[in-house]
Amino acid sequence: MSGGVGPTYNDIALPKDEEHHATGKTSTAARFFSFQQLNILAVILVLSTSGLVTIEDFLFTLLTLIYFFFLSKLIFPPHKNPNRDAPLTSPTNKIFRLYVASAGIVGLLVPICYIFEGFLEDNKRGVSAAAPHVFLLASQVFMEGIAATCGFSAPARILVPVVYNARRILTLVEWIMNEFSRETLEYGKGSVSVRRMYAGKVLAVVNLGIWSFNLFGVLIPVYLPRAFKRYYGSSKEV
């Protein structure tokens, strides 16, 4: 994503990301420990310690971290020409920035509020269904921050959102199945409201639509080829 809140691209950078590429090691360290990145890390830790994260998702995050560093060092090391690893989109693209911000709000901020309300209403099943998506998206954003900080090449950076996005679609399908498998009679009783029932269904369906489009309509057909073309293309194409 970007900036710790948006969909999926520190690889498709916004202005702060470009500043990162232009500064030295001192600003790199500051960028890594930015307030936004610490907030994302806090979300990851809270979900992990609350028992809402499955061992499969935790291992996925750990193993992909190792794998991305392997890719960035041995398979797609930083290009000798810094321009080959520059951001893949212009920071002045207002439509793209709006897309990033909107996807971040719907994909991360609203589900966090949904989970928090679930704790208040003692809706454990709804919280457990939504938590994997939030955990993986927060982990993705944090991993993108690491990729930018450590100077990953363009192909290595773009593979972070591609891999995470593909994994999160599976968790979103499970979230939808969980929401629609519940009987309406479960709601309206006790502390779980009918409003929350519809909110969970809408939120799960909207997120599946957004991130499916993000993967199959944006990342794979547009930015993945662009990253590899820039990395392997002739000098005239830079």
Side-chain angles (χ1 to χ4, degrees):
M1 213 50 239
S2 178
V5 221
T8 65
Y9 329 102
N10 250 333
D11 47 65
I12 307 170
L14 296 184
K16 290 184 179 180
D17 300 305
E18 289 200 320
E19 291 174 9
H20 157 76
H21 286 287
T23 54
K25 294 182 179 179
T26 302
S27 62
T28 292
R31 176 80 175 90
F32 180 76
F33 293 107
S34 70
F35 181 70
Q36 292 172 333
Q37 289 296 325
L38 290 177
N39 281 337
I40 291 297
L41 181 60
V43 172
I44 296 171
L45 293 177
V46 168
L47 291 176
S48 300
T49 56
S50 63
L52 296 173
V53 179
T54 64
I55 187 65
E56 290 85 358
D57 288 335
F58 185 80
L59 287 176
F60 173 84
T61 302
L62 179 61
L63 293 176
T64 51
L65 173 66
I66 298 172
Y67 181 64
F68 287 133
F69 269 99
F70 168 77
L71 289 179
S72 68
K73 299 301 180 182
L74 299 179
I75 309 301
F76 304 115
H79 205 282
K80 295 180 180 179
N81 182 351
N83 291 331
R84 299 296 184 104
D85 293 328
L88 298 173
T89 193
S90 171
T92 60
N93 189 331
K94 294 182 179 180
I95 295 179
F96 178 78
R97 295 182 67 178
L98 178 62
Y99 166 72
V100 168
S102 301
I105 292 172
V106 176
L108 194 59
L109 297 184
V110 176
I112 288 176
C113 294
Y114 176 79
I115 290 175
F116 179 73
E117 185 193 40
F119 284 123
L120 298 179
E121 292 196 6
D122 196 27
N123 180 211
K124 296 180 180 179
R125 185 173 176 182
V127 169
S128 298
H133 162 71
V134 175
F135 172 77
L136 289 173
L137 182 54
S139 299
Q140 174 186 325
V141 173
F142 191 72
M143 183 65 227
E144 288 173 354
I146 293 177
T149 300
C150 296
F152 283 19
S153 64
R157 290 200 317 272
I158 195 63
L159 285 173
V160 173
V162 170
V163 171
Y164 267 97
N165 211 151
R167 170 60 181 159
R168 282 190 298 103
I169 285 179
L170 299 178
T171 64
L172 286 169
V173 170
E174 293 177 358
W175 184 6
I176 289 178
M177 292 176 62
N178 181 282
E179 292 292 340
F180 282 88
S181 65
R182 305 193 216 179
E183 295 293 336
T184 305
L185 293 177
E186 292 183 29
Y187 296 88
K189 297 181 178 180
S191 60
V192 181
S193 63
V194 175
R195 172 189 57 79
R196 182 171 176 81
M197 173 186 71
Y198 289 110
K201 291 180 178 180
V202 171
L203 193 56
V205 170
V206 169
N207 268 283
L208 180 61
I210 289 176
W211 299 112
S212 295
F213 169 76
N214 188 65
L215 179 63
F216 299 112
V218 178
L219 289 174
I220 293 177
V222 178
Y223 289 104
L224 189 62
R226 183 179 298 181
F228 280 93
K229 182 178 180 180
R230 177 181 291 180
Y231 190 78
Y232 288 113
S234 64
S235 57
K236 296 180 179 179
E237 297 176 358
V238 179

